[in-house]
Amino acid sequence: MQSISGNEQDRDVGPPARETPLPWGKLTVLLAVRLAEPIGMTLILPFMYQMVGGFDIVKNPKDISFYAGMLLTSFSIFKALTVMHWGILSDRIGRRPVILLGLLGNLLTFVLFGISKSFKWALVARSLNGMFTGNSVVIKTVVAEISDSTNRPRMMALLPLMWNLGMMLGGAVGGAFVDPAEKYPWLFGGSVLFREYPYLLPCLVGSTASFFGLVVGFFQLEETLVIRPITESTRLVGRPATETTALVLDAQNEEGRDQPVVTERTPSKWAILTPTAIRVLVTNTIMCLAIAMHNQIYPIYAATDIADGGLGMDAQSIGYTLTFCGILVVYFQLVMYPILANKYGALACYRRGLLLLALFSTTFPLLSILVKYTGLYTERIFDFNIANLFSFKLVLLWLLLLAQLYVRTLGDILSFTSISLLVSNVAPRKTDLGFMNGLQQQTTSITYIIGPLISGYLWSWSIKHSFPYPFNSHFVWVLGGASLVVAWYMSLSIPDSVNIFASEEHEPTQEVAPDNASTNTLTERSS
């Protein structure tokens, strides 16, 4: 790995400023919003195979992965369709109402999904849930508005931490609370509600983050969007242009006659997409596509029968593995990543993360082959119970599984956290950060639409046919690994300068003109 210390020594950074205390009252609501989205994404993973298999629409068990992919994809489709509109709406009516509306919608759609009795109902509820979680894009804007240069990095770092925590909690809640009447008869055995709706309890528990954020936000969250109309006395001469500031030089001659208004137009946002920025975004897109395929196919691969190339795990065991990954995430995010990033730089960490993910993707399906040679081919060997703790072969398989997930989790943290820093670093001005982050969010959402469709279809196709390697049940994993190698190779052409935050330190004052005033600034008034 390459160190960036030489580059940093050339910069006169001066003594560090004292960090401003974090505004936890406002920040708590934003973290709840960030937590709700990954919980919504991963909550259904442990029981998705079981749930879809119980719907009348499934005629062949080998088609379950296709319909499960549709459920996952619907969430991402509606998020991608609405993510930009939530941002625009927050510019019109304010950040606070948009955030509270999203939390309320997320809470209600969770409950709707939990009472699903048909695939169509589940699909609609899942789509609405994705629509309301699309407002998570607003929280980055609010964080920028309530922070300053001393505490903004720390506040921004909390967002990916909450994302990863939500990924952990979603899988754990989904696996632990599914079908409680059967799993915990001593507590829920007499509940008619949970016998009728076995997937309601995990959805209710998972929605507590939205409920908490809604309550706290109603009392604690203040509006951060400040609109100051431009008056006749307002003069913007000498101020730099921003996307929300009209530069007008309104001069009057000695006779009091109006002279033509000179308007300086803001350069197109697309002009900031330099070759370096494009390479960063393209590698981000390829990486996110591969990870979306991993996220979709892992629970299906884990739950698929051993005879069809899977691991034969039950929902509870899958939930345990997702919890294990979540615990690793907290350690990697808070302890390991800051040390590695400070020592080697974000770009080097990004490249290593891509290689680790490629290694995981190409070697993980080999575990199913090993399972077949344990002599326990016909048993669901990964079912978690006390008796299995005394079997050397089963303990060994569990250790190998957790080792693979360790590699995957470390790769996720190195690549995801680093690419977020790189995207921000290539923005030439702070006023371009919103555009760059929004563009990254949009492309990532698209990959979470395409990825589950590709992996779900290819998995069903591969296990229905008896093709040789790599077109057997390994095909989805091999394809993901190959794409990650491509992303790594492209990252080699990204210059080391992306390790440095390029945005200008000067943040111009922004004034927003009313609709009628902004129209007049783009025309010339006759003298």
Side-chain angles (χ1 to χ4, degrees), residues 158-177:
L158 290 174
L159 299 183
L161 176 62
M162 297 307 295
W163 170 274
N164 291 311
L165 181 61
M167 297 287 283
M168 173 191 69
L169 292 177
V173 169
F177 294 98

Side-chain angles (χ1 to χ4, degrees), residues 48-58 64 117 199:
M48 177 176 58
Y49 191 91
Q50 174 184 344
M51 183 184 196
V52 174
F55 293 143
D56 293 337
I57 196 173
V58 177
I64 293 178
K117 300 292 287 185
Y199 309 106

Side-chain angles (χ1 to χ4, degrees), residues 69 90 135 150 217 219 250 271 319 357 398 403 435 446 468 497 499:
S90 72
N135 80 327
T150 65
F219 294 102
D250 186 6
L357 288 174
W398 264 102
F435 173 78
I446 293 175
S497 59
N499 285 311

Side-chain angles (χ1 to χ4, degrees), residues 113-229:
F113 185 81
I115 61 176
S116 300
K117 300 292 287 185
S118 67
F119 180 77
K120 291 182 179 179
W121 181 290
L123 186 64
V124 171
R126 184 73 173 164
S127 301
L128 291 175
N129 190 244
M131 182 183 74
F132 281 106
T133 55
N135 80 327
S136 60
V137 71
V138 181
I139 64 177
K140 287 186 178 181
T141 303
V142 178
V143 167
E145 291 171 338
I146 67 175
S147 62
D148 56 38
S149 59
T150 65
N151 61 10
R152 186 172 296 122
R154 184 178 297 276
M155 292 176 67
M156 285 292 186
L158 290 174
L159 299 183
L161 176 62
M162 297 307 295
W163 170 274
N164 291 311
L165 181 61
M167 297 287 283
M168 173 191 69
L169 292 177
V173 169
F177 294 98
V178 63
D179 201 2
E182 292 293 332
K183 188 176 295 184
Y184 311 110
W186 55 273
L187 183 60
F188 300 104
S191 174
V192 177
L193 178 65
F194 291 133
R195 285 194 177 276
E196 183 69 17
Y197 303 105
Y199 309 106
L200 176 59
L201 184 59
C203 293
L204 290 176
V205 176
S207 64
T208 54
S210 297
F211 178 77
F212 175 78
L214 184 63
V215 174
V216 176
F218 184 81
F219 294 102
Q220 295 288 334
L221 185 62
E222 299 175 357
E223 182 56 62
T224 60
L225 177 64
V226 179
I227 301 179
R228 291 180 291 175

Side-chain angles (χ1 to χ4, degrees), residues 38 40-53 61 64-73 126 167 170-172 174-175 290-306 308-323 325 360 364 380 382-383 401 405 408 412 448 451-452 455-456 459-460 463 476-477:
M41 289 182 62
T42 60
L43 180 80
I44 73 170
L45 294 182
F47 60 80
M48 177 176 58
Y49 191 91
Q50 174 184 344
M51 183 184 196
V52 174
I64 293 178
S65 60
F66 174 75
Y67 292 105
M70 291 182 63
L71 277 184
L72 288 180
T73 303
R126 184 73 173 164
M167 297 287 283
I291 291 178
M293 294 170 63
H294 288 173
N295 292 341
Q296 147 75 5
I297 208 61
Y298 168 69
I300 296 175
Y301 164 77
T304 299
D305 289 338
I306 297 173
D308 292 325
L311 297 178
M313 298 173 66
D314 63 357
Q316 189 174 16
S317 297
I318 296 173
Y320 287 142
T321 62
L322 295 176
T323 302
C325 293
F360 163 80
F364 187 61
R380 299 181 64 84
F382 278 103
D383 286 4
L401 172 63
L405 295 178
R408 176 195 173 184
D412 279 347
Y448 275 86
S455 58
W459 177 259
S460 294
I463 66 176
V476 175
W477 300 103

Side-chain angles (χ1 to χ4, degrees), residues 24 73 119 206 237 246 270 289 304 314 319 352 375 389 412 467 479 514:
W24 284 108
T73 303
F119 180 77
V237 179
W270 298 101
L289 179 61
T304 299
D314 63 357
R352 276 24 177 212
L389 295 178
D412 279 347
F467 293 122
L479 183 63

